[in-house]
Amino acid sequence: IKEVSNLYIIIALLALGVLIIVHELGHFIMAKVNGVYVEEFSLGMGPKIFGFKGKETEYTIKAFPIGGYVKMLGEDEVVEGDKKAFCNKSPLQRISIIIAGPLMNFLFAIIVFSVITMNKGYVTNIVNGLIPNSPAESIGIDVGDKIIGINEKKISTWQDLTTEIYVSNGESLNIIVDRNGEEKNFNVKPYFNEEEQRYLVGVEPRTVADPTFIESVKQSCKEIKSLVIQTYVALKSLITGHGSLQDLGGPVSIVKISGAAAKAGIWNFLNFVAYLSLQLAVLNLLPFPALDGGWTVILLIELISRRKVNDKIVGTLNYIGFSILILLMILVTIKDILFPIKI
């Protein structure tokens, strides 16, 4: 697209704000449950634009919509003798507070995906039709077959199937199907479809048009599981140098794609928001300093060793981790501006 109107950009920023609130609300709720004094609940970073004081906590909106935080007593310094200080809670209590943010993002994604599925239906990994003269038809795959594996990888959603075919780059695939309770193996070589510009094997999925609430939740959990696996595979590819930095997007790309999704309709927009919430959860759980996953690793060490990790070491690691994250965000933002993701 050439341009996304200001209205859709505003909608995109509001959606990002909602995801940040959802994440920080998880930390906030579990802090309160565990009796921790919360000094500030902030949406955004930088100078304060607006704020008000509650019974204990100050709620603020800040100038730069690039994140948010919950500031707890005793989070960054040792507070002796105060039972309401984060630092004086048990490792398990602190872990519950830390992981509550990502878990809230997972829950939010499940709820949104479930609402979309209930209203739009979903496609399954059961073959409903075969493209004439396609590889799938020629090797004997039949209507009603349930595709359960490709190259020893488990297939539980249609997205799993299309992803494995996509990454095959035309190489031969071993497809395992469940046919009336019996497993059958087929070797098939995908063909390149010029019209769709992607590899196909020639199967069409069965659609569930009007799923129940339980079916929608189950399907959403399956899709989330697949997306989480794909995310970690993509991260591994980037770290090992097999992925493309061109596909990496930062705040500018997120706002642009969010705006385009909003312009494409409410269901596309909600789908992208749920996807972003899931990515926020997955990335935050990475065992990296300054992220929730890094905090959790430190607290697990304390739990297992029954000895507190030196506060200076924790502070140094978090400072380094935070600095690296800020630098990465700046670099990705520059990349977004100079070499934007195509949509």
Side-chain angles (χ1 to χ4, degrees):
I1 60 173
K2 294 182 179 180
E3 184 179 350
V4 178
S5 70
N6 291 335
L7 173 62
Y8 293 115
I9 291 175
I10 292 170
I11 292 172
L13 289 172
L14 288 174
L16 288 175
V18 168
L19 295 184
I20 294 166
I21 290 172
V22 167
H23 182 90
E24 298 303 331
L25 192 60
H27 295 313
F28 178 80
I29 291 172
M30 286 309 297
K32 292 292 187 180
V33 167
N34 286 286
V36 174
Y37 184 90
V38 179
E39 298 176 343
E40 184 182 1
F41 186 115
S42 175
L43 176 60
M45 300 286 190
K48 182 171 74 174
I49 298 175
F50 171 78
F52 67 92
K53 181 78 173 179
K55 186 178 179 180
E56 287 186 346
T57 308
E58 183 182 11
Y59 302 88
T60 59
I61 296 176
K62 298 195 172 178
F64 306 119
I66 56 173
Y69 60 87
V70 169
K71 185 180 180 183
M72 296 174 284
L73 178 67
E75 183 180 3
D76 299 318
E77 72 284 331
V78 177
V79 180
E80 298 289 348
D82 194 328
K83 292 182 179 179
K84 285 192 171 184
F86 176 81
C87 60
N88 294 329
K89 297 298 180 179
S90 72
L92 274 178
Q93 286 176 309
R94 284 180 283 162
I95 288 172
S96 71
I97 295 168
I98 294 301
I99 67 170
L103 290 181
M104 279 290 282
N105 283 120
F106 274 117
L107 179 60
F108 181 80
I110 290 171
I111 291 170
V112 176
F113 277 135
S114 297
V115 169
I116 295 170
T117 302
M118 282 186 68
N119 284 272
K120 300 293 288 182
Y122 64 93
V123 293
T124 71
N125 50 322
I126 299 174
V127 178
N128 194 59
L130 297 162
I131 297 173
N133 303 316
S134 65
E137 184 185 56
S138 64
I139 63 171
I141 291 178
D142 205 355
V143 172
D145 285 349
K146 183 177 183 180
I147 299 174
I148 58 174
I150 294 183
N151 290 352
E152 299 182 354
K153 292 184 179 179
K154 186 178 178 181
I155 301 296
S156 57
T157 68
W158 181 254
Q159 183 64 39
D160 290 339
L161 173 64
T162 56
T163 299
E164 289 302 318
I165 295 171
Y166 174 79
V167 300
S168 72
N169 285 322
E171 295 294 321
S172 184
L173 299 169
N174 176 247
I175 296 179
I176 305 169
V177 306
D178 180 336
R179 180 179 295 173
N180 300 321
E182 181 184 356
E183 287 190 9
K184 291 185 174 293
N185 284 264
F186 298 95
N187 289 313
V188 57
K189 186 173 177 61
Y191 70 98
F192 190 75
N193 185 290
E194 294 290 346
E195 185 179 341
E196 299 185 29
Q197 287 294 296
R198 62 190 179 103
Y199 285 100
L200 302 172
V201 296
V203 293
E204 296 173 345
R206 181 174 297 175
T207 301
V208 177
D210 190 22
T212 64
F213 172 75
I214 299 298
E215 286 176 330
S216 299
V217 173
K218 285 182 178 180
Q219 179 63 22
S220 296
C221 290
K222 284 183 180 180
E223 291 177 359
I224 284 174
K225 179 184 175 183
S226 297
L227 287 170
V228 169
I229 292 172
Q230 289 169 29
T231 300
Y232 281 122
V233 168
L235 285 172
K236 182 182 176 182
S237 296
L238 281 173
I239 293 170
T240 56
H242 294 101
S244 173
L245 290 175
Q246 183 62 30
D247 296 328
L248 189 64
V252 175
S253 287
I254 289 172
V255 171
K256 185 177 180 182
I257 297 170
S258 298
K263 197 171 184 180
I266 184 63
W267 297 117
N268 286 320
F269 178 63
L270 287 176
N271 189 72
F272 185 69
V273 169
Y275 175 77
L276 275 185
S277 185
L278 185 62
Q279 298 304 303
L280 184 60
V282 170
L283 295 176
N284 259 286
L285 286 174
L286 291 174
F288 188 82
L291 293 177
D292 294 334
W295 258 111
T296 303
V297 169
I298 292 170
L299 292 171
L300 284 173
I301 292 172
E302 289 188 8
L303 183 65
I304 294 168
S305 67
R306 297 188 178 183
R307 294 179 61 185
K308 188 171 177 59
V309 177
N310 188 288
D311 291 315
K312 288 184 178 179
I313 294 175
V314 174
T316 301
L317 286 173
N318 283 333
Y319 178 79
I320 293 171
F322 186 74
S323 300
I324 292 173
L325 290 175
I326 292 297
L327 177 61
L328 181 62
M329 184 175 290
I330 292 170
L331 291 174
V332 172
T333 301
I334 293 172
K335 175 262 169 192
D336 280 350
I337 295 170
L338 298 179
F339 308 100
I341 288 177
K342 296 178 181 180
I343 45 178

